[in-house]
Structure formats: structure tokens, C-alpha cells
Amino acid sequence: MAAERVVVDECRGVLFVYSDGAVERRAAPGFATPVRDDGSVEWKDAVFDAARGLGVRLYRPRERGGGRLPVFFYYHGGGFCIGSRTWPNCQNYCLRLAAELGAVVVAPDYRLAPEHRLPAAFEDAENALLWLASQARPGGDTWVAEAADFGRVFVSGDSAGGTIAHHLAVRFGSASGRAELAPARVAGYVQLMPFFGGVERTPSEAACPDDAFLNRDLNDRYWRLSLPAGGATADHPFSNPFGPASPDLAAVEFAPTLVVVGGRDLLRDRALDYAARLAAMGKPVEALEFEGQQHGFFTIDPWSAASGDLMRAVKRFVDTDGGGGGGVARLDG
């Protein structure tokens, strides 16, 4: 008699992994969020990797004046296991980014685990950035090329997307890496509550309540499903930038980096430690902590007061090409 097929892993009512190894996905997120599109931003979809069926959603303000606009990447979160550029929370945040930053916003998809474990997401994110660079060359998409200032590209990501931003900073943080992106140039990175891990619990992980939006159980499940098969732990270089086998970051030529932290986020301590270690190496990094805020507060409610404060901080970072900051600043959320 065949064993009963049961769910062994589940992520937010979207991803189901069964005891026989089968994976089931639902296209829509497990929460209902209306899209607030007032028409001030136009958008369209494009394909950046036809072989893998990967797309990107592009946004730009309808009223642009005569100048070119900075380019702002947004890699969605979801523990490398769930999420999409088409989900309403992503759509809402990108609409607000385009309108308030006055930017061309680029929101790529990437392959998800467990069907495609890391480094698949990093490879796809790299290809999306290289695709954007190719639009600056003859034959590029005029919808992008006519509006974008390819010399002012900012790479951001939320949670797992923040981890992607770190890996892109390392991947292209050298003279040869910058040459690959030419004529495009990354002017800065914005890591929004980056999803870093490690075997040893931090105080913010240990103190995280079970009813948090991102709790220990879900955090560990995401890493179990996304890290390479065969016994990889949360100290793997894909999850822990300072793990025992992780590359030395001292030689990486980081562009200015803003690390955004939630005071009530399970990942708080890892993000602050990351920023502090980079600063100690002399890297151009600043951290901004929103006290009282949980993981992903700006996509859960993109129109909250704290989300408005974050948008203004990101705009300041973009408008100054990552200048004018440093250290750790704290805002009352």
C-alpha cells in the first residue's frame, strides 16, 4: 500500500512541498491587497531571459519633464521561495517608488526554490542587471532608453531581494565587474531588511515572537528549502556574508550602500552587524533603523507614516547618489 501523500513544508499558503517530493504553487499571494494605481505611473512587462521564461516589470512616471531619470531596481522578497513582480504588494510599492523617486523602476522575477535552489536566484538577478545595461546599447528597448539615466542605476531589494543586492554588489564590485555593466553604472545599493542567516541565533532571532510576520520557524524553513541540497547550513556563503567559508569582503569595491532595518524584525541584528562590519572595513555604508517596525512593513502597508519616512530616506539616497550618510540613524516608527 502506497504511503499517504502529505504536505511536509508550506509557505504562506502559496508554496506546498509534499512527502513524495512534488511541489505545488498557487499563482496569487495568500493575502488580498488592492492595487492603488492612480495613473500617474505607466508600466509594462518585458522578458529578460526568454530561455527561462523570466520577465521584468518596468515603471516610469508619465510626466517626466525633459531630463533622464535614475534607474531603481527592486528585487522582491519571499525567502527565495515565493513572490512575484506581479503580486499586488510588489506592484503597489513599485508604483510609489516610480512616482516619488522620479525613477524608472525595474522589478525582475527570478527562479524560486525548492525547484531552483540557490545560486539560481543570484544568477537570474545578475542577468536582469546585465539586461538593463544592454538597453543602453543600440537596439535596446526605446521605452527604457528614452527615459533612463544609465549612469545612475540603484539596486535595491526587499528581504531575500536585499540579499540579492548584496551578492550583486560583490559580483560587480571590481573594475572588471563594472566594465561588464558599461555603459550602465551602479551608483548605489539599498538593502531593505536583508535576509541574512547563520547557525548561531542572534538576540533578535532568539527574542522573536511566534506571531511575527517573519518568525524563526518560517525563517529556518526558507533556508532549508533554498540553500543547496546536501546538508548546507545557514552559515553557507549564500546566506551568511561572514560565515566560515564566505569570501573576504575587504577587497570588494562597494558602491554606497544603505541598509534598512526594522527594530522589531527578526533579522535586525544581522543587518546592523553587516553594516557595522562593512563600515569597519572603510566601505561607504549607512544603516537606517525604524524602531518598532516589523519585517516588510513598507510592502505590508506602503502608505503608512513609516513607509513615507522610508521613501524620503531612499529619495535622499538616490538624489545624492548615495552621499551624505554614514553610521546608524534611528527613526521612531
Side-chain angles (χ1 to χ4, degrees):
M1 183 176 179
E4 182 183 5
R5 183 173 182 255
V6 297
V7 174
V8 294
D9 277 307
E10 176 270 333
C11 297
R12 298 204 186 282
V14 174
L15 170 66
F16 301 86
V17 182
Y18 292 91
S19 52
D20 62 359
V23 176
E24 177 187 352
R25 289 186 178 275
R26 296 176 182 171
F31 49 87
T33 303
V35 173
R36 291 174 56 172
D37 185 350
D38 64 6
S40 64
V41 171
E42 54 187 352
W43 58 273
K44 73 167 193 171
D45 288 318
V47 174
F48 74 87
D49 188 336
R52 291 173 173 154
L54 292 172
V56 59
R57 184 157 288 181
L58 305 164
Y59 304 78
R60 66 184 190 181
R62 289 191 185 276
E63 301 296 330
R64 298 188 298 279
R68 291 183 174 270
L69 307 177
V71 178
F72 195 86
F73 267 80
Y74 175 72
Y75 291 96
H76 69 76
F80 299 108
C81 295
I82 62 173
S84 169
R85 76 186 193 282
T86 66
W87 281 13
N89 60 323
C90 182
Q91 179 92 346
N92 281 328
Y93 192 59
C94 289
L95 287 167
R96 186 170 185 184
L97 284 168
E100 298 197 20
L101 299 185
V104 175
V105 174
V106 181
D109 275 335
Y110 49 87
R111 286 172 293 167
L112 299 173
E115 304 97 316
H116 305 284
R117 291 175 176 266
L118 294 172
F122 300 146
E123 294 167 353
D124 297 340
E126 176 183 321
N127 287 335
L129 188 52
L130 289 167
W131 173 87
L132 184 279
S134 73
Q135 306 314 300
R137 303 175 190 129
D141 186 333
T142 56
W143 197 93
V144 178
E146 69 186 16
D149 180 350
F150 291 99
R152 297 182 64 223
V153 177
F154 295 84
V155 177
S156 84
D158 160 25
S159 192
T163 314
I164 285 173
H166 161 75
H167 283 273
L168 292 176
V170 174
R171 167 68 177 81
F172 294 105
S174 65
S176 60
R178 291 190 293 275
E180 286 184 71
L181 292 175
R185 180 184 72 90
V186 176
Y189 291 88
V190 180
Q191 298 182 19
L192 302 164
M193 300 182 166
F195 182 52
F196 294 137
V199 170
E200 185 177 348
R201 297 287 193 199
T202 66
S204 62
E205 290 170 347
C208 181
D210 292 340
D211 62 353
F213 181 73
L214 177 65
N215 58 29
R216 286 186 301 273
D217 180 67
L218 186 58
N219 177 80
D220 295 348
R221 194 180 317 154
Y222 282 147
W223 285 127
R224 186 172 66 252
L225 292 171
S226 64
L227 286 170
T233 73
D235 275 338
H236 192 282
F238 293 158
S239 53
N240 187 347
F242 304 106
S246 297
D248 185 1
L249 300 181
V252 177
E253 298 170 12
F254 280 86
T257 299
L258 173 64
V259 181
V260 174
V261 184
R264 291 176 53 216
D265 186 9
L266 171 146
L267 301 173
R268 171 189 180 274
D269 292 348
R270 293 197 185 277
L272 288 175
D273 177 68
Y274 171 85
R277 292 199 194 199
L278 290 190
M281 296 178 195
K283 311 303 182 186
V285 60
E286 60 178 302
L288 179 60
E289 180 176 357
F290 285 80
E291 296 183 346
Q293 293 299 322
Q294 65 172 325
H295 190 76
F297 70 89
F298 45 88
T299 54
I300 295 171
D301 184 0
W303 301 278
S304 69
S307 296
D309 290 339
L310 172 59
M311 193 66 64
R312 285 184 286 275
V314 172
K315 181 171 175 55
R316 185 265 308 162
F317 184 83
V318 170
D319 288 349
T320 62
D321 287 347
V328 179
R330 291 181 170 85
L331 295 178
D332 185 358

